[in-house]
Amino acid sequence: MDVGQINVQRQNGVALWRQIADRIRASIANGEYDATGMVPPEMVLAAQFGVNRHTVRSALAALAQEGIVRAMQGRGTLIERKERLNFPISQRTRFTEGIGDQARKKEGLLLSSAEEPASAALAASLRIAEGAPVIRLETLRKADRRPVSRSTNWFPAGRFAGMKEAYEASGSITAAFQALGLSDYWRFSTEITATHADGADLADLQLSPGAIILVARALNVDPDGVPVQYAVSRFPADMVQFTIAN
Amino acid sequence: MDVGQINVQRQNGVALWRQIADRIRASIANGEYDATGMVPPEMVLAAQFGVNRHTVRSALAALAQEGIVRAMQGRGTLIERKERLNFPISQRTRFTEGIGDQARKKEGLLLSSAEEPASAALAASLRIAEGAPVIRLETLRKADRRPVSRSTNWFPAGRFAGMKEAYEASGSITAAFQALGLSDYWRFSTEITATHADGADLADLQLSPGAIILVARALNVDPDGVPVQYAVSRFPADMVQFTIAN
DNA sequence: AGCTATTTGTACGTATGTATT
DNA sequence: TAATACATACGTACAAATAGC
């Protein structure tokens, strides 16, 4: 098969090896190398991208550092991890259930928490008074020990006073709500954007500079339609996708 | 307000000036400079990012090239564009209606078209036989003369033989469907990912290298649930956001 | 076992880009 | 604007490991 040239741009502030690493990572996630379970040989990739073999080696070294591939002398470069996690977005969106059996071990860690007055925008979303107290939880979610999202969650402080302790005990927002007497809730709206990872993302999600993150801003409401949670979640773009089924 | 140091990483495959340009672009999109309508002075930015003023100037030059800011000697650096277009995703998702009054002038251009055999994956989505003929339309959508999405659309060739001409005449998929006797259709599913723009995206969407695009893969069905269109649309991430309302 | 082709690993030299001073 | 230091990218050559014959 003649693959043809794959386009990368020179001298635009993003190193060739990083652009190539991003492309290979995406190809792996898209299952393009599933037939062999291997990345094509370095010389083949170099020809495809129109670069020197060393540049491809730099890209593969970065992917090896991420644990996505493992190079084996004389054999080739083995793919270690390939699947993208899929997050369904619906009225019943829940993080842990959403992952389902796509990962064996699911964790929710509390990075920090605070009580603070609601900003104007947050107050409007949660339908509370501006400046009213809210509880903010910074959480990190992992699937099979790899970080998959970093979230900032706000809850009305009056109604959900014990949120921090309830989340720490269970590692799950759903379980924490139940512990506080809210047995069910609904996803009211979701806003999706994409941006470059910032410093905190890089550290917490174990990404390399220039990485892309998907950002979901979500409002959850109780069965009466009263807002109970506003959350901003950040996902590594090459690890996840969102699906909306109608 | 003391902003403190903003973290950028050196020598990691992404040039400092590009990391800084990405941060400033994101700050503009997030409305952080709305109070003045200006980017902070170069010396302030240099201090915030912990870099030399020359490096900040490189970043601002890139943003000026994109048309996002305009530097004015002696005055400062003016922000030209800041608001994001919002695309609602629902059962009734339609591009032109979705934009609504967020833009005055909406255009749909046909870049190219072809008839080709359906790949295995496409055939499965459209529920037709693998290799059955499909019509592919490459389209570019603009709002107020700025390109906002580049789409690849596939239609079963048997049912929608005149799709190319119908789209060319109207610049709208919805109108083309109506001209071909399909008065209504529904969004069945949407898949959202994010990635770096490739060469074709850069050219068609008038982006600068390194830009992020949001990718939506959508399946539309007729009122009987029969697939009528599969589309892959690519949007500049700093120009648009998606919303899902439940 | 040897031989060869394939593939990754290592080394050196050169040119250019990036960032600071 | 110039000098400096380091990163990036290319070219070439050869070494080491693996697989197939």
Side-chain angles (χ1 to χ4, degrees), chain B residues 75-190:
Chain B
R75 287 211 241 165
T77 303
L78 192 68
I79 294 169
E80 297 271 48
R81 243 180 329 109
K82 55 181 196 326
E83 74 292 351
R84 267 193 166 110
L85 280 175
N86 182 45
F87 286 89
I89 295 181
S90 70
Q91 284 193 323
R92 292 280 311 171
T93 297
R94 272 130 181 81
F95 181 87
T96 310
E97 293 176 23
I99 294 190
D101 54 5
Q102 298 177 73
R104 275 176 296 277
K105 190 173 176 205
K106 302 158 220 169
E107 294 168 271
L109 304 174
L110 182 64
L111 298 179
S112 70
S113 69
E115 185 167 326
E116 59 192 24
S119 70
L122 178 60
S125 291
L126 286 178
R127 285 203 266 131
I128 58 179
E130 182 177 346
V134 289
I135 294 171
R136 174 167 55 82
L137 302 188
E138 303 282 345
T139 65
L140 184 67
R141 284 150 169 162
K142 297 187 178 185
D144 288 341
R145 305 173 50 84
R146 279 194 61 83
V148 292
S149 91
R150 184 178 169 275
S151 298
T152 305
N153 305 274
W154 287 275
F155 309 88
R159 184 167 176 192
F160 301 107
M163 201 64 208
K164 180 195 168 210
E165 293 74 17
Y167 182 80
E168 265 182 323
S170 63
S172 155
I173 300 279
T174 303
F177 270 141
Q178 281 173 347
L180 296 178
L182 178 64
S183 60
D184 200 9
Y185 63 95
W186 304 88
R187 174 67 60 97
F188 180 75
S189 63
T190 310

Side-chain angles (χ1 to χ4, degrees), chain B residues 16-17 52 55:
Chain B
L16 281 183
W17 64 264
N52 193 276
T55 309

Side-chain angles (χ1 to χ4, degrees), chain A residues 6 20-39 49 63 68 79 81-86 214 236-242, chain B residues 119 121 191-196 198 213 215 217 230 232 234:
Chain A
I6 301 179
I20 291 169
D22 291 339
R23 295 294 184 88
I24 295 174
R25 196 192 297 102
S27 293
I28 291 172
N30 292 339
E32 289 170 33
Y33 304 141
D34 280 4
T36 57
M38 309 273 287
V39 172
F49 289 107
L63 295 178
I68 292 177
I79 295 170
R81 222 161 12 84
K82 58 182 202 312
E83 72 291 356
R84 234 181 193 135
L85 282 174
N86 182 46
L214 277 164
D238 50 24
M239 268 191 67
V240 308
Q241 66 175 16
F242 299 134
Chain B
S119 70
E191 220 177 79
I192 297 174
T193 56
T195 181
H196 285 103
D198 66 21
I213 54 171
V215 183
R217 293 184 178 78
Y230 186 76
V232 180
R234 307 161 77 84

